Amino acid sequence: MNITELIKIMPKEYEKACYENKAITRKRIIKSPKELLILVIFYLFDNHSLIDVCQFALMRNIGKISDVAFMERFIKCKDWIKWLKEKITPNEIINYKKPLELEPYNVIAVDASDITQKGAVKKLWHLHYAIDLFTLNCHQFKITEQSTGETLKNFEINEKDLIIGDRAYASLSGIEYCLDNGGNFILRIKNKAFNLYDENKEKIILTDWLKKIKKDVSELTVYIKGSKNNYIKARICAVKKTKEEIIIEEKRLKRNDVRRQIKTSEETKFSHNYIFVITSLPETISAEKILEFYRL
């Protein structure tokens, strides 16, 4: 798809929004939202440099603009670009309404990926990424050395943030960090990630509880011993996988055993027959809803 075709699918109000979001405040070299949008699209596609943008502006008869001047203008486009992205998001996302129970929260999904630096000497980096699930806007990102692992501490968490993440993020330190900053969480949890206790501070064996689950979604109130010897109240929500899902998971574990030259314990294999998450959300939100939200 070329630039002309992209311009055609822009919402009708994109020019008005350009001025409202202060992407253009004074008309000098770039005189219209369309001209600015053409340069922004060119810059964002195919790793074009700022110098490339300057040359492209001359070729399109937009005018002579320096790389510094364009970068200053591009920075001012932040809110406008967010507006554009939300308006051209596919209909199946736009039409998915935020569940009523999640209205008080900023629902943020977190994950990480490897980045390979180009060049003769390739270097690996870690990209830590947080996305707002209902606008699909980038919430935060951070690039670190490969040695920096996946943890909630990589992100700034604020009050009313609801963080959703996989097993890598369900650590005691990450959970404490989230709660200390006023956030909430729904996290997939590993078997034996940390010790769990009941209200009498007796240790809970998670697999013993999982064995009691048949078909229905179940939940268990647990307490986690914090770093300051305090106890953090949370909920484990779980459901048994279907037979088809269990067969697929068994095959995956066998492949991992062969690839990594290890033998997965029977207890761990058993725990993989279930989907279970830990959450700080109140009991007014059912376990079924918690698992539904995790699937988002």
Side-chain angles (χ1 to χ4, degrees), residues 143-159:
I143 297 174
T144 67
E145 297 277 353
Q146 188 71 6
S147 57
T148 302
E150 295 172 53
T151 170
L152 295 184
K153 289 185 174 182
N154 290 325
F155 304 98
E156 180 182 329
I157 297 176
N158 299 302
E159 192 174 354

Side-chain angles (χ1 to χ4, degrees), residues 213-214 239-255 268-275:
I213 299 175
K214 301 304 178 185
V239 66
K240 190 170 184 178
K241 295 178 181 178
T242 64
K243 290 181 180 179
E244 293 78 11
E245 289 171 333
I246 290 173
I247 291 171
I248 292 171
E249 185 64 15
E250 287 173 347
K251 290 179 179 178
R252 188 186 71 82
L253 288 174
K254 284 180 181 178
R255 288 196 302 271
T268 299
K269 287 180 181 177
F270 173 78
S271 69
H272 279 258
N273 293 337
Y274 299 81
I275 294 173

Side-chain angles (χ1 to χ4, degrees), residues 44-57:
L44 293 176
F45 279 68
D46 296 327
N47 294 319
H48 288 126
S49 69
L50 293 172
I51 300 299
D52 292 336
V53 176
C54 299
Q55 295 299 317
F56 183 71

Side-chain angles (χ1 to χ4, degrees), residues 164 239 275 288 290-296:
I164 301 180
V239 66
I275 294 173
E288 287 88 352
I290 298 295
L291 289 171
E292 178 185 324
F293 299 154
Y294 179 77
R295 292 189 187 100
L296 291 173

Side-chain angles (χ1 to χ4, degrees), residues 2-142:
N2 60 36
I3 291 177
T4 303
E5 291 171 331
L6 281 170
I7 296 290
K8 288 180 179 178
I9 68 169
M10 291 296 156
K12 294 179 180 178
E13 308 87 358
Y14 85 88
E15 294 183 333
K16 180 182 178 183
C18 178
Y19 296 114
E20 289 177 346
N21 287 282
K22 295 182 170 42
I24 290 181
T25 53
R26 289 180 293 177
K27 298 179 182 179
R28 289 185 175 176
I29 299 168
I30 302 173
K31 298 179 176 62
S32 71
K34 183 177 181 180
E35 289 181 347
L36 179 57
L37 185 58
I38 287 171
L39 296 182
V40 166
I41 292 172
F42 180 80
Y43 179 54
L44 293 176
F45 279 68
D46 296 327
N47 294 319
H48 288 126
S49 69
L50 293 172
I51 300 299
D52 292 336
V53 176
C54 299
Q55 295 299 317
F56 183 71
L58 288 172
M59 292 169 56
R60 293 291 296 239
N61 295 318
I62 292 172
K64 185 177 181 180
I65 184 170
S66 70
D67 53 350
V68 174
F70 174 74
M71 179 48 67
E72 290 175 350
R73 180 60 61 87
F74 179 72
I75 291 170
K76 292 179 180 178
C77 290
K78 176 184 173 183
D79 292 335
W80 186 41
I81 292 172
K82 281 187 175 183
W83 183 91
L84 289 168
K85 189 211 63 60
E86 289 179 19
K87 294 298 180 181
I88 60 176
T89 299
N91 286 333
E92 59 267 24
I93 302 297
I94 292 173
N95 294 331
Y96 186 81
K97 300 299 181 184
K98 192 174 186 179
L100 184 63
E101 297 89 345
L102 294 183
E103 281 298 333
Y105 303 100
N106 306 311
V107 186
I108 310 297
V110 297
D111 210 341
S113 185
D114 291 333
I115 300 175
T116 304
Q117 181 177 317
K118 296 178 181 179
V121 180
K122 296 190 184 302
K123 185 173 181 179
L124 280 178
W125 303 86
H126 248 147
L127 168 65
H128 308 274
Y129 198 84
I131 186 171
D132 185 310
L133 281 185
F134 291 95
T135 65
L136 297 187
N137 275 324
C138 172
H139 183 67
Q140 293 176 52
F141 75 89
K142 185 178 183 180

